[in-house]
Amino acid sequence: MQTILSLLASTPYVRDYFNITHDVLNHLGSLSPYHHARHHDASEIDSELPIDCTVDQVMLMHRHGSRGPVGEHRYIERLVQTLHDATDIIQEVELPHELEFLRAGYNSSLTPHNLTILGRKELFDHGVEFALNYPHLTTDVILSSDSGRVVESARWFALGFFGLDPDVRIVTVNNKDDSVSWITPAPGPACPNFDYSFGRQATLTWSKHYLPVITGRLNMLLPGVGFTEDDIHGALFACAYDLASHGVSPWCGVFRPDELANFEYERDILMDASCAYTLPDNMAPLVGTLFVNKLIERFTDSKGNSRPLYLEFGHDVTILLALSALGLVKDDPPLSPDKLHPGRKFRTSELTPFAASMVWEKFTCSSSYDGPQIRLILNDATMPLTICGQGMDPILGTCSLDTFVNANHYSTSIRFRDQTWNATCGV
């Protein structure tokens, strides 16, 4: 298979995206360790607001930090068993240097579902950085998904932001009276038709295009071991989850850059078909309107009870649903599970790595802009608000709050369990 680097040589953005200064191990899709993002069409965006501008209100949506595997651990366990069964062969065969670690055996001690030590550090560090960025803003409540790793992430962030013994409550969505949560709107009873199986099917289709090539290559290097495609999947997951747990993995050095790029694409089409643009019936943008409408409600203070700061913790799905409702990083034509789209905008490595941070700012200026403005910072990089069209400032990627509200007429036209919602979600 032709390597992705040669495929991309004619595309400046993508060529830069994979240059040697940008660690290829930050290209593991939504399993990537946290890193500062490089958003599509954002290289010329100025990250600093004019000196006469002040951030008046902030809404943070934070993904949990690095965690152990969820369903993927079965692939890693199968890989470990295959290697165990081939112990004698591995001791006798001549190993290439990148596989020498197998001589001592490979075992996995990953804890499924739970936040890792590095995940705790990611959130603590982000809490400290957030306090430095917004020293004038505070709150006495944090809202979280009821998932254990998300609640723990919120606690570590709070420790970094507030310090020891903070006067702040962590409330989970289950303890609120909202009819549906903008943090965990789906899957679930709010939208029964919302089903992750669409993403899993896309993954199965794409894996048949790239896993057999890697399987054949490694079986040539280790004759007699008899790797299956599931084993190779396990090795790719071991790379990602070893990194999430320990910060290093011997498996990452086994794969070539184009092979990791194919794995990254697998993760992208998984999430795109699970909770973004290729989920059928426009379901993801529909469900994402809950977040967009909550953002607009708060930034316009339409209910008269807005706070200056919202600290909220959820999942990668939360962020991707919101981006879908906003029409951001949407590819045309859509991503396909049958063909790699090297110049795509939708890259979960940049959008939702572990500990992803989506920060919405409302700011005002004494002279640079008239009226309140809005900015999106996703993983420490401004994401241009292209939904605003010609109303977007090309230098900052921002737009006025009024322009933003008007541009989101689709979201503001949707209400939970209205006719459109019920017809799409099967309620």
Side-chain angles (χ1 to χ4, degrees), residues 105-345:
Y106 175 79
N107 288 293
S108 175
S109 58
L110 303 173
T111 303
H113 299 277
N114 290 355
L115 202 66
T116 67
I117 294 173
L118 294 177
R120 298 170 192 160
K121 182 179 184 300
E122 288 166 342
L123 270 294
F124 176 81
D125 289 347
H126 286 190
V128 172
E129 292 165 7
F130 207 83
L132 293 172
N133 289 336
Y134 306 105
H136 59 300
L137 300 178
T138 192
T139 183
D140 61 357
V141 63
I142 292 174
L143 183 60
S144 169
S145 153
D146 61 339
S147 166
R149 61 179 174 270
V150 180
V151 174
E152 185 182 355
S153 294
R155 293 189 184 282
W156 284 105
F157 182 96
L159 184 61
F161 185 83
F162 296 102
L164 294 173
D165 302 319
D167 185 20
V168 61
R169 296 177 296 119
I170 297 180
V171 178
T172 65
V173 294
N174 285 351
N175 292 326
K176 290 182 64 66
D177 295 329
D178 300 298
S179 55
V180 64
S181 170
W182 57 96
I183 296 178
T184 56
C191 190
N193 286 348
F194 193 103
D195 191 340
Y196 287 149
S197 65
F198 295 108
R200 289 193 291 270
Q201 184 56 52
T203 297
L204 288 172
T205 301
W206 175 244
S207 66
K208 295 301 180 184
H209 289 282
Y210 85 98
L211 285 179
V213 179
I214 308 176
T215 305
R217 181 176 73 82
L218 292 187
N219 276 330
M220 287 183 65
L221 292 175
L222 289 171
V225 173
F227 287 119
T228 66
E229 291 170 22
D230 281 350
D231 292 327
I232 300 307
H233 231 166
L236 287 161
F237 286 129
C239 164
Y241 284 113
D242 283 349
L243 280 179
S245 297
H246 313 301
V248 65
S249 173
W251 286 108
C252 295
V254 171
F255 300 105
R256 296 170 176 171
D258 61 302
E259 294 169 343
L260 290 173
N262 284 324
F263 178 66
E264 177 187 33
Y265 189 65
E266 175 190 295
R267 308 309 298 172
D268 289 347
I269 60 173
L270 169 69
M271 300 309 294
D272 194 30
S274 293
C275 55
Y277 294 112
T278 54
L279 184 67
D281 302 324
N282 201 51
M283 202 174 310
L286 175 85
V287 176
T289 63
L290 291 171
F291 184 94
V292 176
N293 284 329
K294 179 59 65 174
L295 171 67
I296 290 173
E297 171 196 308
R298 289 166 168 176
F299 275 17
T300 60
D301 196 19
S302 63
K303 292 191 174 180
N305 59 357
S306 288
R307 295 168 171 261
L309 178 63
Y310 294 90
L311 301 178
E312 298 176 341
F313 294 80
H315 304 264
D316 50 356
V317 176
T318 314
I319 295 173
L320 294 176
L321 288 172
L323 295 178
S324 299
L326 294 161
L328 301 178
V329 294
K330 183 177 184 179
D331 289 292
D332 186 16
L335 301 188
S336 167
D338 288 307
K339 183 179 180 181
L340 180 71
H341 190 336
R344 64 193 180 279
K345 301 175 183 178

Side-chain angles (χ1 to χ4, degrees), residues 314-382:
H315 304 264
D316 50 356
V317 176
T318 314
I319 295 173
L320 294 176
L321 288 172
L323 295 178
S324 299
L326 294 161
L328 301 178
V329 294
K330 183 177 184 179
D331 289 292
D332 186 16
L335 301 188
S336 167
D338 288 307
K339 183 179 180 181
L340 180 71
H341 190 336
R344 64 193 180 279
K345 301 175 183 178
F346 190 89
R347 291 183 181 273
T348 53
S349 298
E350 305 303 309
L351 304 175
T352 52
F354 285 130
S357 171
M358 182 168 69
V359 180
W360 290 92
E361 295 179 339
K362 185 176 81 171
F363 65 94
T364 53
C365 311
S366 58
S367 59
S368 295
Y369 298 96
D370 294 328
Q373 310 292 308
I374 187 169
R375 178 166 74 157
L376 169 58
I377 301 174
L378 185 59
N379 304 326
D380 289 300
T382 301

